[in-house]
Amino acid sequence: MLALLAVLVASLAGAPDRTLHFVFENRNESLDVALLDRSGAVASDALAELSHFVRCVRTDRERPIHPRLAEIVARTAAAFGRRRIEVVSGYRAAPYGAPHSKHFVGRAMDLKLSGVPARKVAAWVWRNFRGVGVGLYPTQGFVHIDVRDTDVKWLDLARHGHETTGSVRYTSRDRDDVLPATAPRLEYDDRAGAVARSWASNEKVGIRGSD
């Protein structure tokens, strides 16, 4: 019984705070939302609220934020014991951004965690997740996080309101690099893996979906 209780306590201690307080710097707006449901997955209604909240500042257009990105943001805040997330930029409607920007497709967010240096946030995300882009902007004090197929991180010393300096340093790595044992598991990745395994199993026994 004591062993079971210990496991439960440990599980709760590692679970992210379900209610997050988002503040959008460029809109002077805030949003309190329970982004993750009790299973740890991103709740669809909460994702819709967040997607509207981080809509394009210039055009007021919006696009669904990728659920994997939302989960990474929630788990990053939990790792540092923070509920307050300051959004610098969310969805951007083209052409307001760099060519091929992940912001254009709802796969990127620039943010700050209250009281946590941007360098620490960037390093933690890079260490604990794969399939990410992580940009550190120390002069402006924020971190860019996106979800993608190839892992890339970069450092940009551009000042507020200025374009990229041109001396950005990029680093890539193999997405198959082993995660640390303490890395949080993403519910999105677990579910995607389960679907992929199911399809692979169906292919082996000759079951195919319709074209």
Side-chain angles (χ1 to χ4, degrees), residues 165-201:
T165 61
S167 59
V168 183
R169 297 199 302 271
Y170 293 93
T171 303
S172 61
R173 71 172 169 210
D174 189 336
R175 189 174 174 179
D176 293 330
D177 283 357
V178 178
L179 288 168
T182 55
R185 294 178 64 91
L186 290 177
E187 186 67 22
Y188 181 91
D189 289 350
D190 285 347
R191 294 188 179 189
V195 170
R197 289 190 296 273
S198 176
W199 273 100
S201 176

Short mmCIF file of all heavy atoms in Angstrom, two decimals, residues 165-201:
data_model
loop_
_atom_site.label_atom_id
_atom_site.label_comp_id
_atom_site.label_asym_id
_atom_site.label_seq_id
_atom_site.Cartn_x
_atom_site.Cartn_y
_atom_site.Cartn_z
N THR A 165 20.40 39.31 -37.20
CA THR A 165 21.68 39.98 -37.32
C THR A 165 22.51 39.52 -38.51
O THR A 165 23.39 40.22 -38.96
CB THR A 165 22.52 39.76 -36.05
OG1 THR A 165 22.74 38.34 -35.87
CG2 THR A 165 21.80 40.30 -34.83
N GLY A 166 22.28 38.34 -39.00
CA GLY A 166 23.09 37.81 -40.08
C GLY A 166 24.25 36.97 -39.58
O GLY A 166 24.94 36.31 -40.35
N SER A 167 24.48 37.00 -38.27
CA SER A 167 25.55 36.20 -37.68
C SER A 167 24.97 35.12 -36.78
O SER A 167 25.54 34.78 -35.75
CB SER A 167 26.50 37.09 -36.88
OG SER A 167 25.79 37.76 -35.85
N VAL A 168 23.82 34.61 -37.17
CA VAL A 168 23.15 33.57 -36.39
C VAL A 168 23.93 32.27 -36.49
O VAL A 168 24.37 31.88 -37.58
CB VAL A 168 21.71 33.36 -36.89
CG1 VAL A 168 21.00 32.34 -36.03
CG2 VAL A 168 20.95 34.67 -36.89
N ARG A 169 24.10 31.59 -35.35
CA ARG A 169 24.80 30.31 -35.32
C ARG A 169 23.79 29.17 -35.20
O ARG A 169 23.01 29.13 -34.25
CB ARG A 169 25.79 30.27 -34.15
CG ARG A 169 26.89 31.30 -34.25
CD ARG A 169 28.07 30.94 -33.35
NE ARG A 169 27.70 30.80 -31.96
CZ ARG A 169 27.70 31.81 -31.09
NH1 ARG A 169 28.04 33.03 -31.49
NH2 ARG A 169 27.38 31.61 -29.83
N TYR A 170 23.80 28.27 -36.17
CA TYR A 170 22.87 27.15 -36.19
C TYR A 170 23.59 25.85 -35.82
O TYR A 170 24.73 25.64 -36.20
CB TYR A 170 22.24 26.99 -37.57
CG TYR A 170 21.34 28.13 -37.97
CD1 TYR A 170 21.84 29.21 -38.71
CD2 TYR A 170 19.99 28.14 -37.61
CE1 TYR A 170 21.01 30.26 -39.08
CE2 TYR A 170 19.16 29.19 -37.98
CZ TYR A 170 19.68 30.25 -38.72
OH TYR A 170 18.88 31.29 -39.07
N THR A 171 22.87 24.99 -35.10
CA THR A 171 23.39 23.67 -34.75
C THR A 171 22.28 22.65 -35.00
O THR A 171 21.14 22.86 -34.58
CB THR A 171 23.81 23.59 -33.27
OG1 THR A 171 24.78 24.61 -33.00
CG2 THR A 171 24.40 22.22 -32.94
N SER A 172 22.62 21.56 -35.67
CA SER A 172 21.64 20.50 -35.90
C SER A 172 22.10 19.22 -35.20
O SER A 172 23.24 19.14 -34.73
CB SER A 172 21.45 20.24 -37.39
OG SER A 172 22.67 19.83 -37.98
N ARG A 173 21.25 18.23 -35.15
CA ARG A 173 21.61 16.94 -34.57
C ARG A 173 20.70 15.87 -35.14
O ARG A 173 19.67 16.14 -35.75
CB ARG A 173 21.50 16.97 -33.05
CG ARG A 173 20.07 17.02 -32.57
CD ARG A 173 19.91 16.87 -31.09
NE ARG A 173 18.52 17.21 -30.76
CZ ARG A 173 18.14 17.74 -29.61
NH1 ARG A 173 19.01 17.98 -28.66
NH2 ARG A 173 16.87 18.02 -29.39
N ASP A 174 21.09 14.63 -34.89
CA ASP A 174 20.30 13.48 -35.31
C ASP A 174 19.09 13.38 -34.39
O ASP A 174 19.22 13.36 -33.16
CB ASP A 174 21.15 12.21 -35.20
CG ASP A 174 20.47 11.00 -35.83
OD1 ASP A 174 19.22 11.01 -35.93
OD2 ASP A 174 21.18 10.06 -36.21
N ARG A 175 17.91 13.29 -35.00
CA ARG A 175 16.70 13.21 -34.19
C ARG A 175 16.64 11.92 -33.39
O ARG A 175 15.89 11.81 -32.42
CB ARG A 175 15.47 13.33 -35.08
CG ARG A 175 14.18 13.48 -34.30
CD ARG A 175 12.99 13.74 -35.20
NE ARG A 175 11.75 13.74 -34.44
CZ ARG A 175 10.55 13.96 -34.97
NH1 ARG A 175 10.44 14.22 -36.24
NH2 ARG A 175 9.47 13.93 -34.21
N ASP A 176 17.44 10.92 -33.77
CA ASP A 176 17.44 9.64 -33.06
C ASP A 176 18.34 9.64 -31.83
O ASP A 176 18.46 8.63 -31.15
CB ASP A 176 17.87 8.52 -34.00
CG ASP A 176 16.86 8.27 -35.10
OD1 ASP A 176 15.66 8.51 -34.84
OD2 ASP A 176 17.25 7.85 -36.20
N ASP A 177 19.00 10.77 -31.54
CA ASP A 177 19.81 10.86 -30.33
C ASP A 177 18.95 10.51 -29.11
O ASP A 177 17.79 10.93 -29.02
CB ASP A 177 20.38 12.28 -30.15
CG ASP A 177 21.57 12.53 -31.05
OD1 ASP A 177 21.97 11.60 -31.76
OD2 ASP A 177 22.07 13.66 -31.06
N VAL A 178 19.54 9.77 -28.19
CA VAL A 178 18.79 9.28 -27.03
C VAL A 178 18.43 10.42 -26.09
O VAL A 178 19.26 11.27 -25.77
CB VAL A 178 19.62 8.22 -26.28
CG1 VAL A 178 18.86 7.74 -25.04
CG2 VAL A 178 19.94 7.06 -27.19
N LEU A 179 17.19 10.42 -25.64
CA LEU A 179 16.73 11.40 -24.66
C LEU A 179 17.24 11.04 -23.27
O LEU A 179 17.42 9.85 -22.97
CB LEU A 179 15.20 11.45 -24.63
CG LEU A 179 14.50 12.08 -25.83
CD1 LEU A 179 13.01 11.76 -25.76
CD2 LEU A 179 14.72 13.58 -25.87
N PRO A 180 17.43 12.03 -22.40
CA PRO A 180 17.80 11.69 -21.02
C PRO A 180 16.67 10.93 -20.33
O PRO A 180 15.49 11.08 -20.70
CB PRO A 180 18.03 13.06 -20.37
CG PRO A 180 17.32 14.04 -21.25
CD PRO A 180 17.38 13.48 -22.64
N ALA A 181 17.01 10.13 -19.35
CA ALA A 181 16.01 9.31 -18.66
C ALA A 181 14.95 10.16 -17.99
O ALA A 181 13.82 9.71 -17.77
CB ALA A 181 16.71 8.42 -17.63
N THR A 182 15.30 11.41 -17.64
CA THR A 182 14.37 12.29 -16.93
C THR A 182 13.47 13.10 -17.87
O THR A 182 12.62 13.86 -17.41
CB THR A 182 15.15 13.27 -16.04
OG1 THR A 182 16.10 13.97 -16.87
CG2 THR A 182 15.88 12.53 -14.93
N ALA A 183 13.65 12.95 -19.17
CA ALA A 183 12.86 13.73 -20.13
C ALA A 183 11.38 13.37 -20.03
O ALA A 183 11.02 12.19 -19.94
CB ALA A 183 13.36 13.47 -21.55
N PRO A 184 10.50 14.37 -20.03
CA PRO A 184 9.07 14.07 -19.96
C PRO A 184 8.58 13.40 -21.23
O PRO A 184 9.03 13.74 -22.33
CB PRO A 184 8.43 15.46 -19.77
CG PRO A 184 9.41 16.41 -20.35
CD PRO A 184 10.77 15.82 -20.09
N ARG A 185 7.70 12.45 -21.10
CA ARG A 185 7.11 11.80 -22.26
C ARG A 185 5.97 12.66 -22.78
O ARG A 185 5.15 13.15 -22.00
CB ARG A 185 6.58 10.41 -21.89
CG ARG A 185 7.67 9.43 -21.48
CD ARG A 185 7.05 8.10 -21.08
NE ARG A 185 6.37 7.45 -22.20
CZ ARG A 185 6.96 6.59 -23.03
NH1 ARG A 185 8.23 6.28 -22.86
NH2 ARG A 185 6.29 6.04 -24.01
N LEU A 186 5.93 12.83 -24.07
CA LEU A 186 4.85 13.60 -24.68
C LEU A 186 3.71 12.67 -25.04
O LEU A 186 3.89 11.68 -25.75
CB LEU A 186 5.35 14.32 -25.93
CG LEU A 186 6.31 15.48 -25.72
CD1 LEU A 186 6.77 16.03 -27.06
CD2 LEU A 186 5.67 16.59 -24.88
N GLU A 187 2.54 13.01 -24.55
CA GLU A 187 1.36 12.21 -24.87
C GLU A 187 1.11 12.20 -26.37
O GLU A 187 0.71 11.18 -26.94
CB GLU A 187 0.14 12.79 -24.13
CG GLU A 187 -1.13 11.97 -24.26
CD GLU A 187 -1.05 10.63 -23.56
OE1 GLU A 187 -0.21 10.48 -22.64
OE2 GLU A 187 -1.82 9.72 -23.93
N TYR A 188 1.38 13.33 -27.02
CA TYR A 188 1.20 13.40 -28.47
C TYR A 188 2.07 12.37 -29.18
O TYR A 188 1.60 11.66 -30.08
CB TYR A 188 1.53 14.81 -28.98
CG TYR A 188 1.35 14.96 -30.47
CD1 TYR A 188 0.12 15.38 -30.99
CD2 TYR A 188 2.38 14.67 -31.36
CE1 TYR A 188 -0.06 15.51 -32.36
CE2 TYR A 188 2.20 14.80 -32.73
CZ TYR A 188 0.98 15.21 -33.23
OH TYR A 188 0.79 15.33 -34.58
N ASP A 189 3.34 12.25 -28.77
CA ASP A 189 4.25 11.31 -29.41
C ASP A 189 3.84 9.87 -29.12
O ASP A 189 3.94 9.00 -29.99
CB ASP A 189 5.68 11.54 -28.91
CG ASP A 189 6.26 12.83 -29.45
OD1 ASP A 189 5.64 13.44 -30.35
OD2 ASP A 189 7.34 13.24 -28.97
N ASP A 190 3.39 9.60 -27.89
CA ASP A 190 2.96 8.25 -27.54
C ASP A 190 1.77 7.83 -28.39
O ASP A 190 1.71 6.70 -28.89
CB ASP A 190 2.59 8.18 -26.06
CG ASP A 190 3.82 8.16 -25.16
OD1 ASP A 190 4.93 7.95 -25.68
OD2 ASP A 190 3.66 8.35 -23.94
N ARG A 191 0.83 8.74 -28.58
CA ARG A 191 -0.36 8.40 -29.38
C ARG A 191 -0.02 8.25 -30.84
O ARG A 191 -0.54 7.37 -31.53
CB ARG A 191 -1.43 9.48 -29.17
CG ARG A 191 -1.98 9.51 -27.75
CD ARG A 191 -3.16 10.43 -27.60
NE ARG A 191 -3.67 10.40 -26.23
CZ ARG A 191 -4.80 10.98 -25.84
NH1 ARG A 191 -5.53 11.63 -26.72
NH2 ARG A 191 -5.19 10.90 -24.58
N ALA A 192 0.87 9.12 -31.35
CA ALA A 192 1.29 9.01 -32.75
C ALA A 192 2.02 7.70 -32.98
O ALA A 192 1.83 7.04 -34.01
CB ALA A 192 2.19 10.19 -33.12
N GLY A 193 2.84 7.30 -32.00
CA GLY A 193 3.56 6.04 -32.11
C GLY A 193 2.63 4.85 -32.11
O GLY A 193 2.82 3.88 -32.84
N ALA A 194 1.57 4.93 -31.29
CA ALA A 194 0.60 3.84 -31.22
C ALA A 194 -0.13 3.69 -32.55
O ALA A 194 -0.37 2.58 -33.03
CB ALA A 194 -0.40 4.11 -30.10
N VAL A 195 -0.47 4.83 -33.17
CA VAL A 195 -1.15 4.79 -34.47
C VAL A 195 -0.23 4.19 -35.52
O VAL A 195 -0.64 3.35 -36.33
CB VAL A 195 -1.60 6.21 -34.89
CG1 VAL A 195 -2.07 6.21 -36.34
CG2 VAL A 195 -2.70 6.72 -33.97
N ALA A 196 1.05 4.61 -35.51
CA ALA A 196 2.01 4.09 -36.49
C ALA A 196 2.20 2.59 -36.32
O ALA A 196 2.27 1.84 -37.31
CB ALA A 196 3.35 4.81 -36.33
N ARG A 197 2.27 2.13 -35.06
CA ARG A 197 2.42 0.69 -34.81
C ARG A 197 1.20 -0.08 -35.28
O ARG A 197 1.30 -1.20 -35.80
CB ARG A 197 2.70 0.44 -33.33
CG ARG A 197 4.09 0.89 -32.88
CD ARG A 197 4.39 0.39 -31.47
NE ARG A 197 3.51 0.97 -30.48
CZ ARG A 197 3.74 2.13 -29.88
NH1 ARG A 197 4.82 2.84 -30.18
NH2 ARG A 197 2.90 2.59 -28.96
N SER A 198 0.03 0.51 -35.10
CA SER A 198 -1.20 -0.13 -35.54
C SER A 198 -1.23 -0.28 -37.06
O SER A 198 -1.58 -1.33 -37.59
CB SER A 198 -2.41 0.69 -35.07
OG SER A 198 -3.62 0.13 -35.57
N TRP A 199 -0.82 0.76 -37.77
CA TRP A 199 -0.78 0.69 -39.23
C TRP A 199 0.22 -0.34 -39.70
O TRP A 199 -0.04 -1.10 -40.63
CB TRP A 199 -0.43 2.07 -39.81
CG TRP A 199 -1.62 2.94 -40.01
CD1 TRP A 199 -2.08 3.94 -39.21
CD2 TRP A 199 -2.55 2.86 -41.10
NE1 TRP A 199 -3.22 4.50 -39.72
CE2 TRP A 199 -3.53 3.86 -40.89
CE3 TRP A 199 -2.65 2.06 -42.24
CZ2 TRP A 199 -4.59 4.07 -41.77
CZ3 TRP A 199 -3.70 2.26 -43.11
CH2 TRP A 199 -4.66 3.26 -42.88
N ALA A 200 1.37 -0.38 -39.04
CA ALA A 200 2.40 -1.35 -39.42
C ALA A 200 1.89 -2.77 -39.22
O ALA A 200 2.13 -3.66 -40.03
CB ALA A 200 3.67 -1.11 -38.59
N SER A 201 1.17 -2.98 -38.14
CA SER A 201 0.62 -4.30 -37.85
C SER A 201 -0.41 -4.69 -38.90
O SER A 201 -0.45 -5.83 -39.38
CB SER A 201 -0.01 -4.30 -36.46
OG SER A 201 -0.63 -5.55 -36.19
#
